[in-house]
Amino acid sequence: MRIVLDRVSKGRRGQALPEMSLSYETGEARFVLAETEQRPTVLGLIASGRMRPSTGRVTIDDDADAAALRHRVALVDAPDVSDPHPDVTVAAVVGEELMFAGRAATPVHARRWLENLGFPDLADAPIGTVDPAARVRILCELAVLREGVEGLVLVSPDRHGGRPDGWWRISAEFAERGYAVLVIVGGVAAAVLASFPSRSSSEHEPSRSLSEHAEGERDETRSAGREEGTTGTEEEEER
């Protein structure tokens, strides 16, 4: 599976998201830089087929099929869209996602799932207090439980703090398991990831060219306002 975003933008004069191009595909984990409060979520929605870009084209295996893209790619932890409320317990988050995946979803099943994953002590913890790497592991493992999911778009894991290498290692592990993984990050995390030793594309080298492109637009990004109508009715969210 290969997803290509070709010269996509959102909003008047690209205020919600400046024009950019990128791709991600099965067996690779890539990161892309997107800053400001709104842009990471907007990019995540477009990259997972849940929002139409104002310009450009999004394809999955060369077809502009948004429904197939939504079905095959999960949008993970996108602020105000697919992130769990910080006060909800981990067990409750797990139970809800097990239900969406068509699995047994009682509190007992949720706790057993967490135990099997290696996090039995987190069941009663609010999800907002969980270590960033553990949070990414739990939410990504839940996302791939849904039938037909072949890819993950993980939005702003760096906003939770912690070391980028923790959640980046997890992203690479999902790529090794055969998923297409795109991680949307801010400038500091992008700089850290770009400093990692270079590896071949088969070993999930980050998409540095797009990060360098986004770096050049950082000043414009800081001054851009929120574009009316870029969230809400235009979102085609399917959790």
Side-chain angles (χ1 to χ4, degrees):
M1 179 180 70
R2 178 177 171 82
I3 294 93
V4 177
L5 283 65
D6 181 21
R7 293 175 291 182
V8 299
S9 69
K10 188 66 181 179
R12 190 185 309 113
R13 297 187 299 276
Q15 286 183 337
L17 184 72
E19 183 179 293
M20 59 172 59
S21 297
L22 65 91
S23 66
Y24 62 104
E25 61 189 84
T26 298
E28 293 187 359
R30 295 184 174 180
F31 72 86
V32 57
L33 188 154
E35 293 193 308
T36 74
E37 179 180 355
Q38 186 183 23
R39 288 179 181 177
T41 294
V42 172
L43 178 56
L45 288 165
I46 292 173
S48 62
R50 289 163 172 82
M51 177 181 283
R52 292 184 300 273
S54 300
T55 65
R57 190 167 182 257
V58 182
T59 59
I60 176 170
D61 295 333
D62 297 323
D63 290 328
D65 189 340
L69 184 55
R70 289 194 299 271
H71 179 68
R72 296 171 67 183
V73 176
L75 181 64
V76 180
D77 208 19
D80 301 321
V81 175
S82 62
D83 61 334
H85 191 282
D87 294 332
V88 176
T89 66
V90 174
V93 172
V94 171
E96 181 180 32
E97 291 299 325
L98 289 176
M99 179 185 66
F100 288 137
R103 308 290 183 92
T106 67
V108 172
H109 288 97
R111 290 175 181 274
R112 185 177 300 157
W113 187 88
L114 281 167
E115 184 176 357
N116 291 338
L117 193 63
F119 299 114
D121 297 336
L122 294 182
D124 295 321
I127 188 74
T129 66
V130 173
D131 172 80
R135 177 189 179 105
V136 167
R137 169 69 71 185
I138 290 168
L139 294 180
C140 287
E141 293 288 358
L142 288 169
V144 299
L145 291 178
R146 299 197 189 190
E147 185 178 358
V149 169
E150 302 175 41
L152 301 169
V153 174
L154 176 61
V155 181
S156 302
D158 49 321
R159 74 185 190 276
H160 302 297
R163 294 173 54 88
D165 54 346
W167 44 258
W168 181 250
R169 174 182 51 79
I170 294 167
S171 301
E173 287 178 10
F174 275 92
E176 290 169 358
R177 287 161 57 178
Y179 294 98
V181 183
L182 179 67
V183 185
I184 301 170
V185 300
V188 174
V192 173
L193 294 177
S195 71
F196 287 176
S198 179
R199 297 177 293 179
S200 68
S201 60
S202 63
E203 294 177 302
H204 323 302
E205 182 177 0
S207 179
R208 296 183 182 178
S209 60
L210 182 58
S211 297
E212 292 167 358
H213 164 79
E215 179 75 19
E217 297 189 349
R218 186 173 300 170
D219 291 340
E220 177 190 351
T221 300
R222 291 195 182 102
S223 62
R226 182 179 296 270
E227 175 73 5
E228 182 179 358
T230 57
T231 58
T233 58
E234 286 187 319
E235 293 172 11
E236 299 175 323
E237 175 192 359
E238 287 189 6
R239 293 190 58 190

